[in-house]
Amino acid sequence: MAGHARITATGLPVYSARPHSPWQRGSNENANRILREYFPKGVPITSDPTYLAMVASEINDRPRKIHGWKKPSEMPGMRCPRRSCSC
């Protein structure tokens, strides 16, 4: 991966799917698809913390198949583990 050394030098963890493990790549590709909705290829990613927090909140509160296509915020008893979160 181009830039691997530069990214890992910041302390960010890097995840690589194992060979012959398609179940790992599937969730990775789905996450990439969702992120591309907010950060298209070729467009610089902003470092604005307010915008990044908004994107994270929207992504984390998407309807889930496992919840019958309800959002986590619509599920009784489902609360965000972060105390300062407005989810």
Side-chain angles (χ1 to χ4, degrees), residues 25-57:
R25 289 188 301 277
S27 61
N28 185 351
E29 293 301 321
N30 185 48
N32 288 344
R33 180 188 56 79
I34 292 169
L35 286 170
R36 288 288 173 221
E37 292 177 17
Y38 297 93
F39 307 107
K41 286 186 178 182
V43 176
I45 296 175
T46 180
S47 60
D48 176 27
T50 305
Y51 178 73
L52 295 175
M54 183 272 308
V55 168
S57 179

Side-chain angles (χ1 to χ4, degrees), residues 8 14 21 51-52 55 57 68-70 72 80:
T8 54
V14 175
S21 302
Y51 178 73
L52 295 175
V55 168
S57 179
W69 298 109
K70 291 183 181 176
C80 184

Side-chain angles (χ1 to χ4, degrees), residues 1 3-4 6 9 11 16 21 29 32 40-41 44 46 54 56 58 61 63 70 73 75-76 78-79 82 85 87:
M1 174 170 88
H4 181 274
R6 184 174 49 91
S16 297
S21 302
E29 293 301 321
N32 288 344
K41 286 186 178 182
T46 180
M54 183 272 308
E58 284 186 17
D61 200 37
K70 291 183 181 176
S73 62
M75 300 292 297
M78 296 284 293
R79 296 187 55 187
R82 293 177 286 156
C85 185
C87 296

